[in-house]
């Protein structure tokens, strides 16, 4: 448990959390809607500080990050809590309650574990890292001192001031862009989409390596028109931002049947009209995860599941055949 950074006193002992746009009003002894920020006698605490519920050495491709040290493994950790309300949450066991804690660590211990495992960094993933803001920041700074990086897989729902600190500390982000329609975000996610767009834009302009993921749920966010608008908006930032269009499976409170693979392929080919690197996620078909040179078509990175083979990609992230920059951090 550690004192939170972003909050203010609204009235005696009643606090307003200012970490994310929900701006929870938190009475003494209560938590905000993410469950992870608690008012204890008029002081706000991050109650999941250093509490790990998941711990693994994963391929970086599993985050998914396809253009960031491809073929590398990274120490990946998750805690508990989330600031969104998705009815189709794929990780609800750790996002909607405080499950069994498998390990308690301080930032320096976690960095030490990463070094012992020859990991090039630490990935904050599985649940929403924003609700562990202080631990994420402290660990990222400790990691940086030891010459390793930190990255996060996030919904991007955070206030502007903490976001400023985050983009200075984290080297890569996979950000969920869960759909395009405002109504979809409001009704099914419980937040205004513009907060997510702001985070994506800020991260890209700050030089953070950014990849995006859209989970496609049949009937909710699978229209071609939505994908055209989403891809056009992403391309307005950079055509090189990788987009992962991912298949959904029923989970938590949603019983909608799984996304048909054809819908994923349709949306991928729509997005490819605007973006250079679009990948199908949660699909076993071959070649949907390969990276090809946008200039000459050479196979730069071949992926089959989490098996990665570097092809015509040089050590500086360029195509060996034509020299085109492939927007890959190597
Ligand atoms: S971080 Fe948690 S407590 Fe703070 S405003 Fe967001 S949901 Fe509420």
């Amino acid at each position: 448990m550690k004192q939170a950074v972003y909050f203010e006193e609204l009235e005696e002992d009643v606090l307003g959390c200012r970490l994310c746009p929900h701006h929870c009003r938190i009475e003494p002894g209560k938590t905000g809607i993410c469950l992870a920020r608690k008012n204890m006698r008029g002081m706000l605490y991050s109650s999941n500080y250093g509490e790990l519920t998941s711990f693994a050495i994963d391929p970086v491709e599993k985050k998914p990050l396809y253009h960031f040290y491809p073929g590398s493994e990274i120490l990946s950790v998750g805690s508990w809590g989330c600031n969104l309300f998705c009815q189709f949450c794929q990780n609800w066991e750790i996002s909607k309650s405080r499950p069994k804690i498998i390990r308690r660590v301080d930032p320096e211990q976690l960095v030490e574990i990463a070094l012992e495992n020859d990991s090039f960094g630490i990935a904050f993933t599985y649940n929403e890292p924003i609700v562990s803001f202080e631990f994420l920041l402290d660990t990222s700074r400790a990691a940086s001192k030891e010459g390793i990086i930190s990255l996060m897989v996030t919904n991007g729902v955070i206030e502007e001031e903490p976001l400023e600190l985050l983009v200075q500390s984290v080297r890569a982000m996979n950000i969920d862009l869960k759909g395009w329609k405002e109504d979809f975000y409001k009704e099914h996610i419980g937040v205004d989409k513009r907060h997510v767009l702001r985070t994506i834009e800020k991260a890209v302009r700050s030089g953070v390596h950014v990849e995006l993921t859209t989970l496609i749920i049949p009937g909710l966010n699978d229209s071609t028109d939505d994908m055209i608008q989403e891809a056009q908006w992403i391309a307005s930032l950079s055509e090189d931002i990788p987009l992962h269009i991912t298949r959904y499976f029923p989970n938590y409170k949603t019983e909608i049947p799984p996304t048909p693979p054809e819908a994923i392929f349709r949306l991928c080919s729509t997005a490819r009209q605007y973006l250079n690197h679009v990948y199908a996620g949660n699909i076993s078909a071959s070649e949907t995860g390969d990276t090809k040179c946008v200039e000459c078509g050479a196979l730069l990175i071949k992926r089959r599941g989490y098996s990665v083979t570097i092809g015509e990609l040089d050590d500086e992230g360029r195509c060996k055949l034509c020299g085109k920059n492939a927007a890959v951090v190597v």
Side-chain angles (χ1 to χ4, degrees), residues 190-227:
V191 75
D192 193 322
K193 185 186 77 177
R194 70 192 158 89
H195 299 303
V196 181
L197 300 190
R198 177 179 68 193
T199 296
I200 295 169
E201 201 166 345
K202 176 76 187 173
V204 170
R205 301 212 189 286
S206 303
V208 175
H209 174 82
V210 172
E211 302 193 20
L212 303 176
T213 296
T214 303
L215 181 75
I216 300 298
I217 304 149
L220 297 187
N221 64 349
D222 58 349
S223 93
T224 303
D225 281 352
D226 284 3
M227 183 51 71

Side-chain angles (χ1 to χ4, degrees), residues 6 16-26 31-38 44 82-85 130-131 157:
Y6 290 100
C17 179
R18 296 293 176 258
L19 178 57
C20 92
H22 289 307
H23 285 198
C24 294
R25 173 188 167 91
I26 311 177
T31 67
I33 54 183
C34 62
L35 305 177
R37 314 218 134 230
K38 187 168 186 180
L44 196 65
C82 183
N83 55 347
L84 295 187
F85 305 91
I130 285 170
V131 302
V157 178

